[in-house]
Structures are given as structure tokens and as C-alpha cells.
Amino acid sequence: MKYVFVTGGVVSSLGKGLTAAALGALLESRGLTVRIQKFDPYLNVDPGTMSPFQHGEVYVLEDGAETDLDLGHYERFTSGKLSRLNNLTSGQVYESVIQKERRGDYLGATVQVIPHVTNEIKDRIHAAAKDVDVLITEIGGTTGDIEGLPFLEALRQFALEAGPRDVVFMHVTLVPFLNAAGELKTKPTQQSVAKLREIGIQPHVVVCRCDRPLDSSLRDKISMFCNVPMKAVIECRDVAHSIYELPLALQKEGLDEIVVELFGLKYPAPTRNIWEEIVRRILNPAHEVRIGVVGKYIELQDAYKSVYESLTHAGIANNCRVNIVRIDAEDLEKKNGLAQLRGLDGILVPGGFGDRGTEGKIAAARHAREKKVPYYGLCLGLQIAVIEFARNVIKLPRANSTEFDLKTPHPVINMMEEQKKIIDKGATMRLGSYECALTAGTRASKAYGKTNVRERHRHRYEVNNAYVGQLQRAGLIVSGINPRRNLVEIVELKNHPWFLGVQFHPEFQSKPSAPHPLFAAFIAAAIKNKKGGKSRPTQKRKGAKK
């Protein structure tokens, strides 16, 4: 077993997760089996109860674990499916230690950070490393944060126990450019590595985030003061167009070659890199569409991270550039707010919680239905479509067509009885992978090319089966159900170019090399819709190769 530990310094949000994911992709292309895990120092048990404004999206795994959004990068860049073993928080660590102490597992010993907390962290590394060649572990936060110290101490111990040829430490840091000085400054990197060395960890590789080239004199300086070989000082600049350029950029810097060399492995680089073709399709598409994403967390880029990436993947599948137009759902509730929907080639309503912005989303669904614009609803987006249809097509009383009025005896969208009894908010929804049986001849079944699929869920409300017959008679097609509980999973509209809502989160199973079929079908419908409008031809990106 080989282990790569990824730490970060100077500031947060440097892209440690993307760097770890890109390294995993490069090692996997060499023939190694790779898994990636994330350690988060915060005391929440998981990010499931966190506001998207605080932490971005919650990424759900096959086994129902609510995890950090970086796990989405890990699954998109590598082939392995992850589990709850691949995300660990301080909250989980201390919860486990306290439960063991209460059971008497420690036989009366004084429970301390060392060895009990650090042992818990090391056990998780071992558990996640089964059946793989390389385990990459990213440590969240910034070196020097007090809450991250137990994790770094655990890594120091682990490296000592595993041996020098089996562990590589990679430190991602910032090399800022100061306008007043007119140069890049290495001092923050030096101080960050010094802090790491105080803890007892000497990085083998320093990845330098910068916005301009790192010349040889700066590399030499970082090499000397940080005690790493000059070739292990890696320049990591912002990529020009897409995060999927990152594996190519890091390969050009020789990162994967350094890592396999440090491990003493003989896995040569492949002659063909799939990321070259992915980037080529992104830079030089044949089509271009504008997709409106109508949400309530639009201000934060990471709140719908997987949705945005899945749209990019669907663009790759259709040789199309997808221009995302972020639309705040509350703005659609204002006078003349619907003007923002004009000129869109498709409308997507993603998941969400609470009633803020709901009326704006319902207005967007109505616009898509009446104006024949391709519509794609994810989780809440399906419920919004059903509510709009119930209100404006079959004319149900308004109180009966909102999922948020729990006093209504039979709302069209309702909470399951078992959900009504739950008090805790965390990890209490319908979570993880569930089966969906598809109806033959529908758009959904044609897109999937299968009769049964499994998709990941994260929600509390369901379509009320008492209204399904009435909805179907009025023209709403139920094209997918959960066979075990007879729950609506997918709905479509008759007599519409492409109008589809899903109760699950397909964005959690899309990759640049394997776009999700429903996303791909949605973008194909958007292209067709745009062609019907006789729109302008696509403009190539600057610097794109022919």
C-alpha cells in the first residue's frame, strides 16, 4: 500500500481537493488503482445540516453518506465509487471515541487526543485503503489551524509506522504576487512549510498556487528553504477554461512522475491521455447553448457544483459549449422578473430546501411548459414541476398544490409518515442509492437505454400517490417509479419538446468521460430548441486548437 497525504497552507480554498483528484486521475491513467478520502477538522458529524452558503453543496454517496463536495471531484476524476469511509470529520472522530469510552472499550484508561483520537484517525486510513494501490488523503483546512492538529499528528505517526517509501506528503500552498513589489513572494510558502515541519512532517512535494509563471530562481529558493528537491516544486496556475485541464497541467510539471518515483514504482505514463480529448471538446465545440439554472443559492459557485459540472459533461457528450445563466429564484417573483428567462435554450431547477424562492421556481416551470422550452427538474425541481402542473393545468386549489403546507390534509407533494416523526435534521432523509424502474417508450427510458437504474437521493418529500391518477389523466407521464415503495421517481410531459423531472440527484453520477444520460439528453434537446430559433453559430474560444 502507498499513501499520499495532501495538506494546505497560507489560506483555504487553494484547490487541494482538485489537486488531489487530478493526481488520482494521473496515477490511475498509469494503471494504478486509486481511492481518495477527505478529512475535515470541523466538529459537525457531516455537512448534511450545513447551509450551502457556508459549505457549498452536500455530495451524497451510494451508501447514503452526506459528504464534502470535494468527494464529487474525487469521483468525477477517478473511476472508483466512494463510501462513508472516504469522509471523516472531527465530529465523527470524537463521537466514536466517546461512544467507545462509554462502553468501556478503553478498559478504564484516561482518554486523550494521543493515542485515542489519533488512533481513530489512523484506523480510518487503513479502512479506506483496502483493495487499492494508492490512497490519497486530503486534510481540510489550513496548516496551523488548532482543530487540524490531531489529524496532522495522526499522519506523522502513520508515516513513521508505514515506512519512508510508502508515504508521500504533498503540501499545497500559495505564492502571491504583490503589485507594490512587482514580484511573486515565497515567504508565505516558507512559513507554511516551517509550521508543518514543527509538527514533525517534512513535505516531499510543494505545489505552488500562483497566477503567473514560477521561474527557476523562485523554484530554487522554495527548494532550499522548504528542503525539497527543485523538481518537486510544482507550479500550479489557474487553468484557462476548465478544471479538466488540471491533470494535463500537473502532468506537464511532472507531478505524477515524481510521486511514482518516490514510491519506487514502475508504472510508465500512458501514450494517450483521455484528458486531452476531454479538453479538446471543451475548447472547440460545434454548438453553443444558454441554460438557465434557477436556484436560491445562486450567489455561491459551489452550492450547485455537481450540477454545473454535469452540464459541462453533457456539453462534452454533445460537442457543445454550455453557457450557464444563474438566476435567483426570488428575482423571478418580482415585477417583470420573468424577462430573465427570455432567450434561454433550456431551464434547469436544482434541488433545495425551504420555501424561499419557491414561487419563482414555479413560475420558471410554467414558463418552460407554456413556451415549450426544455425543462429539467432535479429533486425539488420535479416537485416544483408537479406543483405547477397541479395548480395551472388540473386547477387544484392552491393550498393542495404546495408541499410546504403540512396542515393541508392531502397536498400534491407530501412528507412520508415516517419522516414527519423525525426530529433530528442530520442524515434522516431518503438518502443514497435507490432503484428506479423505467416505463418503456418514454424519454427517460430512451435516454438511459435500460429498464432499471439506480440513482442517489437526498430529500424528505414525495409525490402524493393519491393524486397520481389525476395528474396522469391530465397529461403528466410517470416514467419512473421506485418499485419497492411505489414512489414517483421521474415525470415527463406529453406534447412538449423535452420536459422531465427526477426525484433523485443524477448530477452525483456524472463524469466528464461518462456524462449522465439524462443531462446529455437535456442538452441535446436544448441544441435542437436553439436550432429552431435560428441562433448565431458558435464562436471558438481564444487559443482553441482546430
Side-chain angles (χ1 to χ4, degrees), residues 303-464:
Y304 303 114
K305 188 65 177 175
S306 292
V307 173
Y308 297 151
E309 292 306 316
S310 297
L311 287 170
T312 299
H313 306 163
I316 293 170
N318 286 281
N319 201 10
C320 174
R321 179 178 303 132
V322 179
N323 296 314
I324 297 170
V325 181
R326 302 184 199 176
I327 301 172
D328 191 317
E330 288 184 285
D331 289 345
L332 298 183
E333 299 171 10
K334 300 174 183 176
K335 186 178 180 180
N336 299 322
L338 292 179
Q340 295 180 73
L341 302 178
R342 294 175 191 158
L344 296 175
D345 304 308
I347 294 172
L348 186 151
V349 176
F353 294 89
D355 58 358
R356 183 171 63 84
T358 299
E359 293 303 322
K361 295 174 185 178
I362 291 171
R366 182 173 188 174
H367 176 90
R369 179 178 61 81
E370 294 180 344
K371 302 297 183 183
K372 305 297 184 183
V373 178
Y375 175 89
Y376 190 21
L378 311 178
C379 194
L380 176 61
L382 171 141
Q383 298 166 9
I384 290 295
V386 173
I387 292 166
E388 190 281 322
F389 191 85
R391 278 187 190 176
N392 301 312
V393 177
I394 63 178
K395 306 296 184 181
L396 279 180
R398 184 166 174 141
N400 274 32
S401 60
T402 172
E403 79 272 37
F404 302 111
D405 183 3
L406 296 181
K407 296 178 182 177
T408 303
H410 298 290
V412 170
I413 304 294
N414 65 347
M415 187 182 286
M416 304 296 287
E417 288 301 317
E418 61 265 35
Q419 287 289 334
K420 293 178 183 179
K421 300 172 185 177
I422 294 171
I423 298 174
D424 290 344
K425 299 294 185 185
T428 55
M429 295 175 275
R430 186 149 77 100
L431 287 165
S433 180
Y434 286 84
E435 183 183 1
C436 175
L438 303 169
T439 304
T442 59
R443 291 190 183 279
S445 66
K446 289 176 182 176
Y448 278 109
K450 300 177 182 178
T451 56
N452 281 79
V453 295
R454 295 192 69 88
E455 293 283 0
R456 302 181 192 182
H457 294 65
R458 185 177 183 253
H459 59 94
R460 282 194 173 86
Y461 292 89
E462 308 282 354
V463 175
N464 190 338

Side-chain angles (χ1 to χ4, degrees), residues 7-298:
T7 57
V10 185
V11 295
S12 59
S13 302
L14 277 177
K16 296 189 302 295
L18 278 171
T19 304
L23 174 60
L26 293 174
L27 295 178
E28 197 170 76
S29 70
R30 287 173 173 259
L32 290 156
T33 305
V34 179
R35 291 290 180 277
I36 314 178
Q37 67 179 171
K38 174 78 178 286
F39 289 168
D40 278 307
Y42 52 72
L43 286 173
N44 303 66
V45 172
D46 59 44
T49 58
M50 287 178 160
S51 164
F53 290 117
Q54 284 271 322
H55 200 70
E57 75 172 3
V58 175
Y59 188 83
V60 179
L61 303 179
E62 290 276 319
D63 60 5
E66 295 176 286
T67 68
D68 184 83
L69 62 84
D70 274 327
L71 275 79
H73 294 312
Y74 304 162
E75 286 202 330
R76 286 188 282 271
F77 276 80
T78 62
S79 61
K81 289 188 176 182
L82 307 180
S83 74
R84 62 184 65 250
L85 293 176
N86 295 89
N87 197 197
L88 180 69
T89 69
S90 290
Q92 292 175 27
V93 172
Y94 287 110
E95 183 181 52
S96 178
V97 169
I98 290 169
Q99 287 174 351
K100 288 179 179 179
E101 185 273 330
R102 293 289 83 186
R103 289 198 305 264
D105 291 5
Y106 298 127
L107 302 177
T110 301
V111 180
Q112 299 174 289
V113 172
I114 302 172
H116 301 99
V117 169
T118 52
N119 282 349
E120 197 75 25
I121 296 167
K122 289 188 290 183
D123 288 345
R124 180 57 67 90
I125 297 171
H126 286 296
K130 292 180 180 177
D131 303 319
V132 298
D133 299 318
V134 179
L135 177 71
I136 301 174
T137 303
E138 177 199 347
I139 314 302
T142 307
T143 298
D145 293 346
I146 189 169
E147 61 265 30
L149 291 175
F151 287 95
L152 295 176
E153 170 60 21
L155 299 190
R156 184 197 66 78
Q157 295 176 20
F158 191 95
L160 183 66
E161 296 162 6
R165 295 288 281 179
D166 294 331
V167 174
V168 167
F169 283 99
M170 186 167 75
H171 192 58
V172 182
T173 182
L174 178 68
V175 181
F177 180 84
L178 296 187
N179 285 322
E183 61 182 355
L184 291 166
K185 288 295 186 180
T186 66
K187 188 63 71 176
T189 295
Q190 296 174 41
Q191 297 288 353
S192 180
V193 171
K195 175 63 70 174
L196 202 58
R197 292 169 72 184
E198 285 177 15
I199 298 166
I201 295 173
Q202 168 62 55
H204 301 89
V205 179
V206 177
V207 177
C208 301
R209 295 285 285 111
C210 48
D211 62 358
R212 58 204 67 207
L214 201 65
D215 62 33
S216 59
S217 64
L218 289 172
R219 291 179 193 248
D220 183 60
K221 191 174 183 180
I222 292 171
S223 169
M224 179 174 62
F225 282 100
C226 296
N227 197 36
V228 297
M230 191 167 170
K231 67 178 181 180
V233 178
I234 303 296
E235 175 189 292
C236 186
R237 293 163 63 188
D238 294 343
V239 290
H241 307 294
S242 167
I243 59 173
Y244 303 115
E245 296 174 74
L246 187 57
L248 297 176
L250 293 178
Q251 185 182 52
K252 186 177 180 181
E253 284 288 302
L255 177 60
D256 54 325
E257 187 66 39
I258 292 165
V259 171
V260 295
E261 183 181 303
L262 286 167
F263 283 143
L265 299 173
K266 301 295 183 183
Y267 283 83
T271 54
R272 179 178 171 272
N273 193 323
I274 63 166
W275 299 100
E276 291 176 350
E277 174 61 17
I278 289 169
V279 170
R280 187 195 67 77
R281 281 176 164 260
I282 291 172
L283 295 182
N284 191 17
H287 310 286
E288 186 171 357
V289 294
R290 296 175 75 243
I291 302 296
V293 176
V294 182
K296 59 188 287 189
Y297 313 116
I298 288 299

